[in-house]
Amino acid sequence: MTADDSDGIRPGSTGGTRDGDGTRAVRAGLPEAVKNRPALPGPAFAAHYHLPGEPDGPYTYGRDENPTWTALERAIGELEAPGESVVTTAFASGMAAVSAVLLSQVRAGDAVVLPDDGYQALPLVGEQLTAYGVEVRTAPTAGDAQLSALEGARLLWIETPSNPGLDVCDVRRLADAAHAAGALVAVDNTLATPLGQRPLALGADFAVASDTKGLTGHGDLLLGHVTCRDAELAAGVRRWRKIVGAIPGPMEAWLAHRSLATLQLRVDRQCATALELARTLSGRSEVTGLRYPGLESDPSYAVASRQMRRYGSVVSFELPDRAFAERFLAGLRLVDDATSFGGVRSTAERRGRWGGDAVSEGFVRFSVGAEDPVDLLADVVGALDAAAR
Ligand code: PLP
């Protein structure tokens, strides 16, 4: 919802452009302070609401609206586009948000441009679109290669930094070209979080994310969101949520909102340690193909520095082979061998085990958590040494 009081819950003093990211994160989406009420009201568990007479909103039926979602959606909107009037729609997962944009905006006969190196479930949506009569074009993220596929397209889907390869494209350049070609632009901002990158300010029509990752950051829930400036586009996305029913649980929405208060603390720690990890790995002879957009020597550093405010928690690299990577992962004490990323506990995995990404057998995607950097780096160095023996 937009940050007004049309739902009867008056927003508090949040959303201003003056405040820093940490201040905005701790106050995001809070209601107006009212004596004897909590700062962040607890989750509202409701399948339906008292509704005598005309079925007026804002709260009529639980699949359409929920006050816990409203507060979270305001909060995310304040982080995605500080001081602006935007509409955020929360979803049950990142894929629910991704599919909501693609499936609500595209019709049979349209063309969409997807990255060929994005999150591994994106091609599954592409297959579904093809089955519905949509032309799906793909191009790599690196080098803004999607530019060459835009002619006559209805929608451009960008994922930057890409998962798991960590390539970065120039969102402003792509968005301007896409708009000139008559296409809408969606950016999957999962890896960066709104504190790392603001897709709407870079020209996107849709900022989309899996909030399962860094935004909520505790590895204990699945959630997603879509934020738009344009009310009509947002209405299409909301309509899709209503008809598919891909709605977040109130408990997940509340946990997510609670987690936002520490977003800046978590992300700043994670980014600082990720850079230290990347620097450490760059000095190791068994490590090749190292990628971190915040590393000065990274091919994406220049464009990432122009458009990102923080470089993210994920570092990718290659070890000599599958067995080496497995020994490395098994030797880590503080890093869980698990998928996903962005959480407070570091995780790493041999990405090739899933079979969906074009990566080598020794490719490792490492998600840096909130541990003490000195402990984490010692753990990584120790596991590399042990794997090499
Ligand atoms: N987008 C990206 C970039 C992702 O990495 C993921 C999941 O890893 C998703 C979307 C899907 O999110 P979810 O697992 O919450 O459905």
Side-chain angles (χ1 to χ4, degrees):
M1 298 293 284
T2 47
D4 59 26
D5 64 352
S6 61
D7 54 11
I9 306 170
R10 291 176 61 80
S13 57
T14 55
T17 47
R18 277 195 325 258
D19 295 331
D21 287 343
T23 308
R24 201 174 301 114
V26 297
R27 301 209 61 85
L30 297 183
E32 187 186 39
V34 175
K35 188 173 179 184
N36 304 136
R37 301 248 181 96
L40 176 63
F45 296 102
H48 55 84
Y49 305 88
H50 291 298
L51 195 65
E54 289 301 311
D56 302 328
Y59 300 109
T60 56
Y61 185 58
R63 179 164 30 78
D64 296 338
E65 288 294 350
N66 176 294
T68 312
W69 307 346
T70 307
L72 174 66
E73 288 167 345
R74 270 189 196 148
I76 294 174
E78 287 167 16
L79 299 176
E80 287 280 10
E84 287 186 52
S85 180
V86 292
V87 183
T88 296
T89 306
F91 284 90
S93 68
M95 282 316 295
V98 169
S99 298
V101 173
L102 283 164
L103 295 168
S104 70
Q105 302 300 321
V106 171
R107 311 271 176 279
D110 286 344
V112 296
V113 182
L114 304 181
D116 66 10
D117 50 357
Y119 173 55
Q120 58 176 233
L122 190 60
L124 303 180
V125 186
E127 282 171 24
Q128 198 61 48
L129 289 168
T130 306
Y132 290 155
V134 174
E135 181 196 344
V136 176
R137 305 173 187 162
T138 60
T141 300
D144 302 340
Q146 290 175 304
L147 282 174
S148 62
L150 290 175
E151 201 182 316
R154 164 75 182 151
L155 190 144
L156 166 66
W157 189 270
I158 294 171
E159 186 181 308
T160 181
S162 60
N163 170 25
L166 302 184
D167 272 318
V168 171
C169 58
D170 184 333
V171 177
R172 168 58 68 191
R173 182 175 179 221
L174 280 159
D176 286 351
H179 288 150
L184 294 166
V185 178
V187 174
D188 185 328
N189 201 34
T190 300
L191 219 136
T193 84
L195 294 198
Q197 181 168 266
R198 293 185 188 146
L200 299 185
L202 295 169
D205 302 293
F206 305 91
V208 187
S210 165
D211 301 330
T212 310
K213 314 286 191 260
L215 193 83
T216 61
H218 290 72
D220 53 9
L221 59 85
L222 284 106
L223 215 67
H225 79 266
V226 179
T227 302
C228 312
R229 277 202 194 97
D230 183 283
E232 212 175 305
L233 295 179
V237 169
R238 280 194 168 241
R239 181 177 172 279
W240 187 263
R241 181 177 71 177
K242 176 185 173 82
I243 59 179
V244 175
I247 55 170
M251 190 67 195
E252 281 79 358
W254 182 81
L255 279 170
H257 199 160
R258 184 179 189 271
S259 301
L260 287 185
T262 57
L263 180 62
Q264 187 242 23
L265 292 173
R266 287 185 279 110
V267 170
D268 278 355
R269 165 68 83 107
Q270 289 170 298
C271 292
T273 311
L275 181 57
E276 278 194 56
L277 173 66
R279 287 186 175 142
T280 301
L281 292 172
S282 70
R284 299 287 306 202
S285 60
E286 62 277 72
V287 171
T288 55
L290 174 67
R291 297 302 304 269
Y292 183 64
L295 194 64
E296 291 83 346
S297 56
D298 191 275
S300 294
Y301 181 72
V303 62
S305 300
R306 281 202 303 277
Q307 72 188 14
M308 297 184 76
R309 304 168 69 239
R310 294 172 175 84
Y311 297 105
S313 62
V314 180
V315 178
S316 295
F317 54 97
E318 289 175 48
L319 292 173
D321 54 34
R322 174 179 175 157
F324 195 111
E326 284 174 347
R327 288 199 301 280
F328 167 67
L329 293 169
L332 291 164
R333 183 176 65 90
L334 299 175
V335 182
D336 296 335
D337 186 345
T339 195
S340 206
F341 57 85
V344 287
R345 282 173 287 277
S346 292
T347 57
E349 70 170 336
R350 203 177 60 76
R351 195 61 187 167
R353 65 182 174 170
W354 296 97
D357 300 304
V359 294
S360 70
E361 288 290 327
F363 181 99
V364 173
R365 187 184 69 187
F366 196 116
S367 170
V368 174
E371 298 86 0
D372 285 312
V374 63
D375 296 337
L376 189 65
L377 294 182
D379 196 32
V380 169
V381 167
L384 281 176
D385 288 343
R389 279 199 284 272

